């Protein structure tokens, strides 16, 4: 199931490591992660483009500020893919 748009407010940095992607999703935004600036207003650089999608390849590592809202890409077709999308996600926090 697809995760909802979310952020990690108690962390400083968040990371996503793409271990494996279906061949059909390599280098496509749907295989990667979508980002949205929760503070984007009409004068922001994000005005008119509320989502920024980052495509992924196996062993790509994304590191981003944890306050940025994000969600994994959606499936582009029904049915099974050649292999599962496997990612490791983690946060960096300071106590």
């Amino acid at each position: 199931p697809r995760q909802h748009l979310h952020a990690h407010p108690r962390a400083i940095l968040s990371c996503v490591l793409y271990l494996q992607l279906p061949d059909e999703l390599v280098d496509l935004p749907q295989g990667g992660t979508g980002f949205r600036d929760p503070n984007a207003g009409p004068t922001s650089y994000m005005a008119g483009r509320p989502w920024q999608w980052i495509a992924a390849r196996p062993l790509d590592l994304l590191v981003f500020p944890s306050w940025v809202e994000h969600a994994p890409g959606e499936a582009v077709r029904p049915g099974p893919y050649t292999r599962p999308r496997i990612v490791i996600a983690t946060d960096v926090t300071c106590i």
Side-chain angles (χ1 to χ4, degrees):
R2 180 174 183 233
Q3 286 194 22
H4 63 284
L5 180 66
H6 65 283
H8 304 259
R10 295 186 178 156
I12 294 171
L13 292 174
S14 293
C15 308
V16 178
L17 174 63
Y18 300 93
L19 289 181
Q20 177 178 283
L21 290 168
D23 296 334
E24 302 91 334
L25 296 180
V26 172
D27 288 326
L28 292 178
Q30 296 88 347
T33 302
F35 295 93
R36 187 175 79 171
D37 182 350
N39 302 311
T43 59
S44 168
Y45 70 97
M46 291 291 285
R49 41 178 209 161
W51 283 87
Q52 183 67 37
W53 289 94
I54 306 295
R57 280 176 260 140
L59 301 182
D60 276 358
L61 173 67
L62 285 180
V63 180
F64 53 93
S66 297
W67 57 266
V68 174
E69 295 175 331
H70 55 283
E74 291 189 42
V76 293
R77 66 185 178 111
Y81 285 101
T82 53
R83 67 183 104 201
R85 178 181 185 264
I86 301 173
V87 300
I88 295 175
T90 188
D91 291 326
V92 175
T93 59
C94 293
I95 332 181

